[in-house]
Amino acid sequence: MPLLEKDEALAMSDQKLSVNEYLKTDSNYLRGTIEEGLDTSLTGSFSEGDQQLIKFHGFYQQDDRDLRNERKEQKLEPLYSFMLRARVAGGVCTPKQWLGVDKIATNLTSSNSIRLTTRQTFQYHGIPKRNLKTLIQDLDKEALDSIAACGDVNRNVMCNPNPVESRLHQQAFYWAKKLSDNYLPRTKAYAEIWLGDDKVAVSEGDEVEPVYGKTYLPRKFKMAVAVPPDNDVDVYTNDLGFVAVAEAGELIGFNMVAGGGMGSTHGEVATFPRLGDDFGFIQAQDCLKFAEAVLKVQRDWGNRSDRKQSRLKYTIVKHGFEAFKAEVEKRAGIKFEPKRDVVIGDRGDRYGWIKGVDDQWHLTLFIEGGRIKDLPGQPLQTGLREIALVHKGDFRMTSNQNIIIAGVAEADKAQIEAIARSHGLMGKLISETRGHSIACVALPTCALAMAEAERYFPDFLTKVEALQEKHGFLDQGIVIRMTGCPNGCARPFAAEIGLVGKAPGRYNLYLGASFEGTRLNKLYRENIQEAEILSELDALFARYVSERETDETFGNFTVRVGVVKAVLDAARDFHG
Ligand code: SRM
Ligand code: SF4
C-alpha cells in the first residue's frame, strides 16, 4: 500500500489506535508544539504530547525521584530536567569530539557526568529545559546529534567495536553506519527547532518520510552488527541483527537475525523477552535491501493499538516466522540463503592493552555502570579528558558500557597508560564476573524504575564475588545483569544471572541463559531481597562446583540439572 494511503487509513479508520499514533500523525513530522514549549519559562516541563515527540529528537523529560516527595510537600512542581541520548553509530568518536562531549557535561548538565549506555552511546542527565538548545547546538559543532536516538524509529545502530582485526571491523562498521544513516528520519524538524534552520513548509502529498511515513514505526526499533566470535552487541536481543560472515578475513555477508527484544511487564504473560530468529545468509551488498524490507513489514504489520504488543518480536510471533520471512523476501526481491556456520562466543570486553593486526595498541577501560564522573580518588572524567588531549586514535564506546582508547602507537602507549592509572581508570583488579556485568541507570532518573540498579549493583557484585571466592571459582566469569524494572535495559533476560527490580530492595531472580547470549533465562525466585538472593546463589554455587561438567558454564549447568527449564521458544516457555 502506498504510504500516504496507509497513513490516512491508519488515521481515519481504526478507532483503537494508541494515543501515540494520533500524536505522530498530527505532529507535522515530529514538530508538535515543541518550539512553543521551549519558549515558556512558566514550567520546566513540556506538554504531554510533546513529551512523547521530544523522544524522536533524542531526549526524555525526567524528574529527580530522590527529591519527588520533598518537592511535593513543598507544593513545588517536580524538579524537571532532561536526559539526552546521543546517536553514535558503532560507538566511535574522535578525541576532539570527546572533548566537546566532556565540556557539555560540565557546562550544561546538573549531573556533571557522562553516562555510557548499553547501546554504545552516551547520555547526559540533568539538563534544564533552558539549556537544551545550546546543548544540541554544541553537540552539532562536534558533528554529533541526538536525532532518533529514542522514539518509534530505528535507533543507534550497534557494531562490534573491536579495533584489533581492523579490516573486518571496518567492513562491519561500514554497514552499521549505512544502516544508521539510511534509516534516519528525513523530517527537518530537528534542524529547524534546535539548530535554527529555516522552516520548511510541508504540503499534503509531499513524501517527507519515504520509509517511515507520517506515523513512523509502531514502536522503537533496534539494529546491531556482530563480528563473531564476539557477541558483545548481544545480537539476538535486537529487533534486527546482522552477524558478520567472513572468508579469509574479508566480510562476505551476514546471517540475518530478527525479532529479539527484552521488554516485558511483570505478571503480564502476553509480554515476554525474546531472542531473534535466524533467517539465513545474505550477501553483504544486500544488507540495506533486507533491512528496509524488515522495517517496512514491521511498519505495515506491527500492532499500532497496543504499545505493549507493538515490537517486531510480537509481529513475528503473531504472523508466524514463515509468513514474515516470505514477506521480507518478497519486498527485498531476494531469497535468504541457508545460514552460514559461525561461532558465537563471548559477550564481554577485553580489558587492558591488546595489539591489533595493524600494530596499533588498544586499551579497554572498565567503567563501572558506565558512569563517567570525577569520584573521590578516581577522577574518571578528568582522566578521559586528559587522554583525549593527547590521543591520536579514536574512542570507542562498547555495549558493555565501557570505553576503548583505540589506535595508540607504541610510542604513545606509556603516556596514555600513565594518565589512565593516575586517574583510577586502570589498575584495579576487575573480576571476570564484574567484567561481564551490566546494570541499567534506574533510580533516581528513570521514571520507570521499581528498584535500584546502577547505584546498588557494584556493592552487590562484591558480595557475589565473595561467594565465588568461597566456592573457589572467582577466576570464572558469570554474565550477571541487573535492571530496576522488566523493561530490560541491561538485557537481564539474556544473563546467566538476571536480577530484575520488582519494588525497592526486591528483585526477581532469573537463571539459565547461555554465556554466549543464545538462550534466554527463566524466573527462578520472585520478589526476593538481597539476603535471600545471596543465600540462593550460595547454594547454587556449591552445587555448581561439585556437579558441573568440564567447561560447563553456570547458565548451562542450571538448565542441565533442572534448576530451571530451558527457554527454547520464548512465547511458550518464558512464563510457562
Ligand atoms: Fe531502555 C525505556 C535507559 C537500553 C528497553 N530506557 C528506557 C528509559 C528511557 C525510561 C523511560 O522510558 O522513561 C530509560 C532512561 C533511564 C535514564 O534515566 O537514563 C532507559 N535503555 C536505557 C539505557 C540508558 C540503559 C543503560 O543503563 O545503559 C540504555 C540506552 C541505550 C541506547 O543508548 O540507546 C537502554 N532499553 C535498552 C535496552 C538494551 C538494548 O537495546 O540493547 C533495552 C532492551 C532491548 C529492547 O529494546 O527490547 C531497553 N527501555 C527499554 C524499554 C522496553 C521496551 C519494550 O519493548 O517493552 C523501555 C520502556 C518503553 O519503551 O516503554 C525503555
Ligand atoms: Fe529504567 Fe527499567 Fe530501563 Fe532500568 S530497565 S533504565 S529501570 S526502564
Side-chain angles (χ1 to χ4, degrees):
M1 199 186 296
L3 272 174
L4 280 175
E5 262 180 53
K6 176 182 71 74
D7 290 335
E8 279 158 13
L10 272 174
M12 288 160 59
S13 65
D14 190 345
Q15 292 309 304
K16 286 189 295 190
L17 288 176
S18 73
V19 175
N20 291 56
E21 294 302 316
Y22 292 99
L23 270 173
K24 287 182 273 181
T25 308
D26 296 341
S27 73
N28 186 19
Y29 294 97
L30 310 181
R31 289 171 179 83
T33 52
I34 297 173
E35 277 209 284
E36 290 86 322
L38 260 179
D39 286 342
T40 170
S41 53
L42 292 175
T43 165
S45 156
F46 279 97
S47 73
E48 247 176 69
D50 290 338
Q51 282 176 40
Q52 296 302 318
L53 294 175
I54 56 175
K55 296 181 187 176
F56 291 80
H57 298 250
F59 51 95
Y60 279 72
Q61 182 170 311
Q62 302 184 317
D63 72 286
D64 187 332
R65 293 183 58 185
D66 286 348
L67 300 179
R68 218 181 245 181
N69 288 342
E70 192 185 313
R71 303 268 306 178
K72 206 169 172 187
E73 275 164 25
Q74 293 171 350
K75 300 201 172 9
L76 293 170
E77 77 169 12
L79 189 57
Y80 293 120
S81 67
F82 294 83
M83 173 273 275
L84 179 133
R85 186 179 291 166
R87 183 183 180 93
V88 188
V92 182
C93 67
T94 64
K96 181 176 173 302
Q97 284 176 317
W98 188 265
L99 289 173
V101 168
D102 172 74
K103 196 165 161 196
I104 290 171
T106 309
N107 293 345
L108 298 172
T109 77
S110 64
S111 74
N112 252 317
S113 69
I114 302 163
R115 175 55 156 71
L116 303 181
T117 77
T118 53
R119 291 192 69 79
Q120 276 189 303
T121 182
F122 63 88
Q123 288 186 175
Y124 294 120
H125 291 101
I127 312 163
K129 192 166 86 173
R130 62 175 185 284
N131 285 356
L132 277 171
K133 227 179 195 171
T134 315
L135 191 150
I136 292 179
Q137 290 175 1
D138 284 1
L139 273 183
D140 183 64
K141 286 181 198 145
E142 300 303 337
L144 289 168
D145 64 69
S146 59
I147 306 172
C150 319
D152 297 344
V153 276
N154 178 41
R155 298 185 174 193
N156 200 42
V157 178
M158 291 203 279
C159 180
N160 171 261
N162 172 13
V164 176
E165 287 164 52
S166 48
R167 182 154 172 80
L168 185 56
H169 173 267
Q170 277 306 323
Q171 292 168 343
F173 178 70
Y174 169 86
W175 287 107
K177 183 86 176 77
K178 279 250 172 224
L179 289 163
S180 173
D181 293 347
N182 257 47
Y183 307 117
L184 271 173
R186 301 285 166 218
T187 172
K188 300 283 174 258
Y190 182 93
E192 284 174 19
I193 299 172
W194 307 107
L195 306 177
D197 280 17
D198 289 344
K199 292 200 171 29
V200 181
V202 181
S203 320
E204 202 52 57
D206 285 356
E207 203 182 38
V208 179
E209 295 285 8
V211 173
Y212 293 125
K214 248 187 213 168
T215 46
Y216 295 83
L217 293 176
R219 200 68 159 87
K220 54 174 71 166
F221 196 94
K222 299 179 175 179
M223 296 188 194
V225 179
V227 184
D230 294 331
N231 187 22
D232 54 307
V233 298
D234 238 331
V235 69
Y236 284 97
T237 65
N238 283 265
D239 292 272
L240 182 57
F242 295 95
V243 181
V245 178
E247 264 175 23
E250 297 285 326
L251 181 82
I252 57 160
F254 301 99
N255 285 335
M256 197 189 97
V257 172
M262 292 281 105
S264 62
T265 307
H266 286 312
E268 283 189 24
V269 294
T271 68
F272 45 85
R274 187 174 190 272
L275 295 184
D277 299 304
D278 284 308
F279 278 72
F281 176 79
I282 62 170
Q283 301 290 332
Q285 70 269 18
D286 296 329
C287 176
L288 296 180
K289 283 190 193 136
F290 277 101
E292 193 154 320
V294 173
L295 277 174
K296 286 182 171 172
V297 181
Q298 164 64 356
R299 178 195 70 193
D300 298 345
W301 290 11
N303 185 327
R304 289 183 185 261
S305 303
D306 179 357
R307 287 179 67 80
K308 284 191 176 176
Q309 289 294 313
S310 55
R311 292 292 293 272
L312 180 71
K313 60 184 174 182
Y314 300 116
T315 310
I316 295 179
V317 171
K318 181 176 170 209
H319 292 269
F321 172 81
E322 291 303 338
F324 183 85
K325 182 178 173 189
E327 185 66 17
V328 169
E329 287 180 330
K330 193 172 106 193
R331 295 197 191 203
I334 315 165
K335 289 218 176 293
F336 289 101
E337 296 174 33
K339 180 189 164 192
R340 301 284 169 92
D341 283 340
V342 288
V343 176
I344 301 282
D346 199 337
R347 283 180 288 167
D349 292 334
R350 289 175 264 186
Y351 299 106
W353 287 106
I354 189 158
K355 197 175 193 178
V357 288
D358 54 0
D359 281 346
Q360 297 277 300
W361 287 91
H362 313 288
L363 175 65
T364 305
L365 301 172
F366 175 69
I367 307 289
E368 187 124 59
R371 185 68 66 179
I372 297 173
K373 196 175 168 65
D374 281 350
L375 303 166
Q378 273 190 298
L380 306 180
Q381 193 177 344
T382 305
L384 284 168
R385 186 186 313 135
E386 297 290 319
I387 291 176
L389 283 167
V390 297
H391 181 40
K392 303 180 190 92
D394 54 41
F395 280 60
R396 297 181 185 202
M397 293 169 272
T398 80
S399 30
N400 288 306
Q401 305 166 322
N402 296 312
I403 199 154
I404 305 176
I405 314 300
V408 179
E410 178 81 42
D412 299 331
K413 222 180 132 205
Q415 184 187 21
I416 302 265
E417 178 162 338
I419 301 172
R421 285 191 181 278
S422 61
H423 291 80
L425 288 156
M426 253 181 117
K428 246 171 94 180
L429 203 65
I430 309 297
S431 74
E432 282 290 319
T433 293
R434 194 176 293 265
H436 279 85
S437 68
I438 40 178
C440 74
V441 178
L443 293 163
T445 53
C446 179
L448 309 176
M450 299 169 178
E452 296 281 349
E454 179 191 323
R455 295 194 293 195
Y456 162 59
F457 200 44
D459 289 343
F460 174 79
L461 274 178
T462 305
K463 295 172 186 166
V464 175
E465 285 167 341
L467 287 178
Q468 277 193 260
E469 191 163 25
K470 172 180 159 189
H471 294 288
F473 73 112
L474 184 56
D475 56 341
Q476 186 189 320
I478 299 177
V479 177
I480 173 165
R481 296 171 173 177
M482 177 179 277
T483 58
C485 86
N487 283 312
C489 300
R491 302 183 285 272
F493 304 111
E496 294 179 282
I497 301 175
L499 288 152
V500 176
K502 196 91 209 266
R506 295 188 164 271
Y507 297 84
N508 283 357
L509 170 61
Y510 295 81
L511 300 172
S514 66
F515 181 75
E516 303 80 12
T518 47
R519 186 182 61 240
L520 286 177
N521 56 22
K522 193 168 167 68
L523 183 62
Y524 176 62
R525 290 282 180 267
E526 198 172 352
N527 203 24
I528 55 177
Q529 291 175 288
E530 182 185 281
E532 215 177 325
I533 299 168
L534 293 172
S535 135
E536 291 288 357
L537 293 181
D538 194 9
L540 287 163
F541 288 175
R543 273 191 77 182
Y544 175 58
V545 291
S546 66
E547 297 174 36
R548 68 181 156 180
E549 292 177 345
T550 313
D551 293 334
E552 188 171 39
T553 56
F554 181 69
N556 288 353
F557 167 79
T558 52
V559 167
R560 182 180 59 79
V561 301
V563 173
V564 285
K565 277 202 228 147
V567 175
L568 304 174
D569 172 343
R572 184 194 62 198
D573 305 335
F574 186 72
H575 296 286

